[in-house]
Amino acid sequence: MRKRRVVILGATGSIGESARKVARDLPDRMEIVGMSAHSNAEKLREAAKEFPGAKLALSSEPGGSEKLIELATLPEADMVLIAIVGTGGLRPALAAIEAGKDIAVASKEILVMAGEAVMNAARRKGVHVLPVDSEHNAIFQCLEGQRAERTSNIEQRTLKEEPARLPADSKFDVHCSTFSSANIRRLILTASGGPFRTWPAERLADVTLEQALKHPTWTMGAKITIDSATLFNKGLEMIEARWLFDVEMARVEVIVHPQSIVHSMVEFRDSSVLAQLSVTDMCFPIQYAVTWPDRVPNRLPPLDFARLGKLEFEAPRLADFPALNLARAAGETGGTLPAVLNAANEIAVATFLARGCSFPAIWQTVERTMSEHRSVAGADLPAIMEADQWARRRAAELLRP
Ligand code: NDP
Ligand code: MG
């Protein structure tokens, strides 16, 4: 049995809160050795009472970004959970990888912006990137069976005893890139459809902030809740999946599933589909990222299929919610374009949250910013950072009243 010593970056957020709950539930498996908040000092202090040994950092204070790096590279930590909203977790994530820590990634924005750089760094250092986003965690679980089949007994033993020490080029390496991707026909991401799933297109112009903040199935931070309403969340997740599992965009699909019980699926080349299901609670994927490769009993509620009654699926409304096509285009073009999409979206969402623009202005701004950008192919990290900064400036200009 392996206890993981975990640093939580973004410990005061919605994911941070669920992660602390998992640590309380499984003290033999998860010890919190560090926690950060941005500015909510009181909530961080409150959280620290439960985990008295943990080192703390406030990232909004002077020198805050250095403190985040310090936490991400704490000698006593073996895993860093990136639960910071937006791209603020990118540098700490790369620092954690360089220091040989596994990373558990909730913060999809860093994989959209710089997925190739993050995955390459992890591969080079032989550390694991464990998906926390529920869809990707589901896909990861579906692919695990694949891996076991392909693994000899001796290899399986090694995997069980020393999962963190596998060589970087190991064929069952959990960056997932070495899961035989030839066997995968499609990754099928499920989407709740958000609060406006059934709204006629012409009503979307009048969506209020309060309406957009009411997610039908998940309780989450404000930014991701708005992303779920525009479907940019699912768009970001398509690009996230492309990098985590090293499959091209054409093999990443989205299906609307209003109940959010099937968290995602993998279709293999024999047309068989595996899915992962659970109650909608982020403690499930967080726990699996931390206890992987073990399954550990917990206090989470099991599914009651008879009470559920039915699970529904429908095609996404691509014409009315342009986020999905914009994300597909960004993921297919690659280079700096995904970073531009992500940055413009972050600015537009912040503006919408401040009541500074309409709901459709979010995707209109992203589309316009993307169309004005000439993507740099094979971009390195500095080029990506530059594109990110340009897109933030340009989106802010476009949104100015
Ligand atoms: P929240 O807004 O609830 O929490 C964000 C956390 O990040 C807080 O701890 C906040 O600190 C901190 N933070 C905010 N801005 C910065 C910054 N500039 N630098 C450093 N830290 C910062 O977000 P969520 O927990 O909902 O989401 C976190 C990430 O996880 C997002 O990327 C989201 O897409 C992803 N995710 C979330 C899911 C969910 O169920 N919530 C599901 C799947 C993915 P403070 O409290 O001090 O402001
Ligand atoms: Mg998700």
Side-chain angles (χ1 to χ4, degrees):
M1 200 176 68
R2 191 167 62 129
K3 185 195 262 187
R4 306 230 70 187
R5 286 156 303 175
V6 182
V7 168
I8 306 175
L9 302 183
T12 48
S14 159
I15 290 286
E17 207 162 313
S18 297
R20 287 185 275 119
K21 194 166 155 211
V22 172
R24 278 198 298 276
D25 194 14
L26 306 175
D28 296 340
R29 304 296 307 227
M30 179 176 178
E31 179 185 347
I32 297 180
V33 297
M35 289 190 282
S36 83
H38 196 51
S39 55
N40 199 336
E42 196 179 323
K43 193 161 179 192
L44 186 63
R45 249 195 319 274
E46 202 50 43
K49 282 188 193 152
E50 279 186 291
F51 308 101
K55 306 244 163 58
L56 306 177
L58 272 180
S59 45
S60 66
E61 285 190 340
S65 50
E66 293 319 308
K67 284 193 199 135
L68 277 189
I69 304 277
E70 243 170 72
L71 269 193
T73 56
L74 271 190
E76 61 264 39
D78 42 40
M79 173 181 268
V80 179
L81 168 61
I82 319 284
I84 288 175
V85 59
T87 51
L90 179 58
R91 278 189 60 225
L94 291 169
I97 291 170
E98 282 312 314
K101 323 274 186 211
D102 288 344
I103 59 170
V105 183
S107 176
K108 62 197 85 195
E109 294 92 340
I110 69 172
L111 291 174
V112 173
M113 179 181 174
E116 192 170 18
V118 170
M119 298 312 283
N120 283 342
R123 223 166 275 138
R124 188 165 40 76
K125 295 296 289 188
V127 301
H128 300 117
V129 178
L130 294 141
V132 167
D133 210 348
S134 56
E135 294 76 5
H136 306 75
N137 193 272
I139 289 170
F140 175 54
Q141 295 192 40
C142 296
L143 291 175
E144 281 247 292
Q146 265 311 89
R147 186 186 51 174
E149 248 170 60
R150 296 160 42 80
T151 310
S152 77
N153 288 340
I154 296 168
E155 285 165 335
Q156 272 188 12
R157 222 173 26 243
T158 321
L159 182 69
K160 240 189 143 34
E161 285 163 14
E162 293 275 282
R165 257 162 251 202
L166 286 173
D169 59 354
S170 147
K171 68 168 181 262
F172 35 80
D173 164 278
V174 101
H175 315 115
C176 314
S177 50
T178 40
F179 281 118
S180 175
S181 77
N183 279 339
I184 302 171
R185 187 182 292 151
R186 292 187 291 163
L187 302 181
I188 306 167
L189 300 174
T190 52
S192 72
F196 311 121
R197 177 175 62 90
T198 58
W199 280 38
E202 58 278 10
R203 278 187 65 201
L204 294 178
D206 305 322
V207 160
T208 65
L209 179 57
E210 288 68 25
Q211 288 166 332
L213 281 173
K214 253 190 219 122
H215 195 273
T217 49
W218 296 96
T219 311
M220 311 178 285
K223 195 260 178 180
I224 185 176
T225 304
I226 302 303
D227 283 346
S228 301
T230 56
L231 296 198
F232 266 113
N233 181 50
K234 213 50 56 181
L236 299 176
E237 289 180 356
M238 290 166 67
I239 303 172
E240 180 186 14
R242 185 252 172 279
W243 291 117
L244 276 170
F245 305 107
D246 197 21
V247 299
E248 63 277 23
M249 284 306 287
R251 283 196 274 173
V252 181
E253 285 183 18
V254 171
I255 187 87
V256 172
H257 166 47
Q259 290 84 9
S260 302
I261 294 293
V262 175
H263 296 301
S264 276
M265 305 179 261
V266 179
E267 182 183 271
F268 295 95
R269 62 176 168 189
D270 60 358
S271 297
S272 265
V273 175
L274 294 186
Q276 185 264 336
L277 289 72
S278 76
V279 168
T280 43
D281 185 332
M282 286 307 292
C283 289
F284 282 96
I286 294 168
Q287 168 176 329
Y288 194 66
V290 171
T291 65
W292 174 85
D294 300 334
R295 292 210 176 261
V296 178
N298 55 28
R299 274 193 277 253
L300 296 171
L303 273 177
D304 181 340
F305 283 96
R307 263 186 71 187
L308 271 177
K310 61 180 178 186
L311 298 175
E312 295 163 302
F313 299 92
E314 63 197 38
R317 292 163 55 193
L318 295 175
D320 300 332
F321 295 90
L324 293 176
N325 282 340
L326 290 172
R328 184 173 295 286
E332 269 164 4
T333 305
T336 46
L337 200 55
V340 166
L341 170 136
N342 177 67
N345 181 56
E346 277 190 32
I347 296 298
V349 171
T351 307
F352 180 72
L353 283 170
R355 299 182 195 276
C357 70
S358 72
F359 186 64
I362 299 176
W363 60 78
Q364 287 158 2
T365 304
V366 174
E367 182 164 25
R368 177 93 188 265
T369 310
M370 281 174 68
S371 72
E372 289 181 15
H373 178 70
R374 220 181 298 142
S375 180
V376 181
D380 57 5
L381 206 52
I384 286 172
M385 302 278 197
E386 200 183 309
D388 170 273
Q389 290 303 313
W390 171 83
R392 282 171 203 272
R393 278 195 309 272
R394 186 62 190 134
E397 273 166 27
L398 292 170
L399 284 160
R400 217 161 278 152

